[in-house]
């Protein structure tokens, strides 16, 4: 089943079930996804209408909480290598995770911010959970995944160092992320193996291929593990969104990765390309986002059909 929340001006949008070919939609008796998650049901009505992807807001505009991991440890490794820092061995066995902004914006909403803040995108896979009991194992936790979706986790790179130096975590450097137009139940999702999603995550920057990473490759911590990590000391209420962190692949020769233009899988955020540039040449060259730049993120099935719809955002001028 595919679902979307239409942007009708209300805080949580209007929940609809969307046909697999993304042509038709049906409203639901539970008006919002929040209601459906709380009631543990989703009942579509019989009336069908044409579906317009452009009418979608965030799938879950007001999540219960957003916990973002760093499941692709290759990305963390590149960060440390670019800084000349050693990689703690525990990073390969104990997931990194932070609590982000639980308010989400729509897939076509503008990216806003002062360019001096170092605006970056991060293309990720995410899941929406039902109620997860405290102490759930990784196997148990995977069973509480209700929906899978894409997110563009906006990061303000120039603000991150000062925040981390305080010894707490991200606040100002992590504004609202955008969701894909659609979320999909695991049973209806091609490439889903129960714990992770296999498939190419497409990222275009200003109309040019930027990332073609495979989400099922190099994922050190799957979603069952991430959810169990988050639920170790607390229950997770329905409507919790768990993010994978930036999708990141190594080269076949275990190198740091090549741009798509050079035959590589590219990158799912600008920061990773800058890190690779620093490792290879001693200096980063690719700039962060500026007003007028566009970012497009999507996934396709084996027949080339869109799975989640498209995140298509533009960086707005800053006052």
């Amino acid at each position: 089943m595919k679902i979307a929340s239409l942007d009708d001006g209300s805080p949580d949008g209007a929940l609809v079930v969307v046909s697999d070919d993304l042509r038709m939609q049906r409203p639901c008796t539970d008006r919002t996804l929040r209601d459906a998650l709380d009631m543990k049901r989703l009942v579509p009505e019989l009336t069908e209408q044409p579906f317009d992807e452009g009418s979608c807001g965030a799938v879950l505009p007001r999540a219960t909480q957003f916990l973002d991991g760093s499941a692709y440890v290759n990305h963390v490794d590149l960060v440390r290598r670019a800084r000349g820092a050693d990689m703690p061995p525990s990073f390969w066995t104990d997931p990194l995770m932070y609590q982000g902004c639980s308010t989400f914006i729509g897939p076509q909403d503008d990216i806003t911010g002062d360019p001096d803040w170092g605006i970056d995108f991060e293309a990720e896979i995410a899941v929406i959970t039902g109620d997860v009991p405290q102490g759930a194992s990784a196997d148990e936790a995977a069973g509480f995944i209700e929906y899978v979706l894409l997110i563009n986790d906006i990061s303000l790179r120039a603000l991150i160092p000062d925040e981390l130096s305080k010894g707490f975590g991200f606040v100002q450097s992590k504004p609202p992320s955008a969701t894909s137009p659609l979320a999909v139940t695991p049973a209806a999702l091609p490439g889903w193996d129960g714990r992770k999603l296999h498939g190419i995550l497409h990222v275009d920057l200003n109309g040019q291929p930027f990332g073609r990473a495979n989400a099922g490759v190099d994922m050190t911590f799957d979603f069952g593990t991430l959810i169990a990590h988050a639920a170790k000391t607390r229950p997770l209420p329905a409507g919790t969104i768990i993010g994978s962190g930036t999708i990141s692949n190594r080269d076949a020769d275990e190198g740091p990765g090549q741009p798509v233009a050079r035959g590589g899988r590219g990158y799912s955020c600008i920061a990773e390309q800058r890190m690779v540039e620093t490792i290879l040449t001693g200096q980063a060259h690719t700039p962060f986002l500026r007003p007028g730049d566009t970012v497009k993120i999507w996934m396709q099935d084996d027949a080339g059909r869109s799975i989640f719809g498209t995140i298509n955002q533009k960086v707005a001028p800053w006052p």
Side-chain angles (χ1 to χ4, degrees):
M1 180 184 293
K2 297 188 176 186
I3 63 167
S5 294
L6 305 183
D7 185 2
D8 63 352
S10 65
D12 297 307
L15 180 63
V16 296
V17 171
V18 181
S19 60
D20 288 341
D21 61 8
L22 309 190
R23 297 181 62 184
M24 304 300 292
Q25 68 183 37
R26 288 190 287 167
C28 299
T29 53
D30 293 297
R31 176 168 170 75
T32 72
L33 181 54
R34 287 172 62 95
D35 292 339
L37 290 166
D38 287 340
M39 297 300 295
K40 298 180 173 59
R41 68 183 187 194
L42 194 155
V43 182
E45 297 178 358
L46 297 177
T47 305
E48 282 193 331
Q49 298 173 327
F51 174 66
D52 176 13
E53 187 176 317
S55 66
C56 293
V59 172
L60 189 58
R62 297 188 296 171
T64 307
Q65 60 184 329
F66 174 40
L67 302 172
D68 199 20
S70 191
Y72 298 83
V73 180
N74 178 60
H75 177 74
V76 184
D77 184 36
L78 290 173
V79 173
R80 308 286 293 194
R81 290 171 60 188
R83 296 203 323 243
D86 292 332
M87 179 79 155
S90 64
F91 281 23
W92 293 100
T93 57
D94 189 27
L96 297 175
M97 185 173 285
Y98 72 91
Q99 186 154 308
C101 177
S102 58
T103 300
F104 287 82
I105 60 176
Q108 298 188 61
D109 288 345
D110 286 342
I111 298 170
T112 60
D114 188 331
D116 290 340
W117 294 342
I119 305 170
D120 197 1
F121 59 85
E122 292 189 55
E124 304 185 12
I125 312 296
V127 298
I128 302 173
T129 75
D131 291 305
V132 182
Q134 179 181 332
S137 69
D139 286 338
E140 293 168 338
F144 294 105
I145 296 172
E146 298 289 338
Y147 300 98
V148 183
L149 68 162
L150 307 180
I151 61 172
N152 180 13
D153 176 33
I154 304 299
S155 293
L156 305 177
R157 301 293 186 185
L159 302 185
I160 289 177
D162 283 346
E163 287 207 286
L164 292 184
S165 70
K166 297 176 182 178
F168 260 39
F170 305 121
V171 177
Q172 293 178 340
S173 54
K174 290 291 187 176
S177 302
T179 77
S180 54
L182 299 161
V184 185
T185 55
L189 184 57
W192 181 254
D193 69 3
R195 303 277 285 264
K196 64 177 69 171
L197 178 59
H198 299 264
I200 303 301
L201 184 64
H202 294 74
V203 182
D204 282 3
L205 176 60
N206 294 326
Q208 298 299 314
F210 188 87
R212 296 295 185 267
N214 191 322
V217 176
D218 300 318
M219 189 179 192
T220 308
F221 305 108
D222 62 35
F223 280 107
T225 302
L226 293 177
I227 296 168
H229 177 83
K232 180 177 180 177
T233 61
R234 67 175 89 172
L236 306 180
T240 295
I241 295 182
I242 305 282
S244 67
T246 303
I247 311 299
S248 179
N249 293 164
R250 297 184 70 83
D251 278 346
D253 63 359
E254 296 300 308
Q258 290 288 333
V260 174
R262 296 180 186 172
R265 291 176 173 172
Y267 316 101
S268 299
C269 67
I270 293 174
E272 184 158 314
Q273 177 158 343
R274 289 171 57 88
M275 289 183 286
V276 171
E277 291 167 350
T278 300
I279 292 168
L280 297 179
T281 71
Q283 185 175 358
H285 308 288
T286 303
F288 289 118
L289 296 174
R290 307 291 297 181
D293 286 343
T294 59
V295 179
K296 184 178 177 182
I297 301 169
W298 76 100
M299 288 190 79
Q300 300 171 175
D301 62 18
D302 290 340
R305 296 169 298 200
S306 177
I307 300 174
F308 302 100
T310 303
I311 297 174
N312 197 354
Q313 296 181 275
K314 185 176 182 179
V315 181
W318 185 243

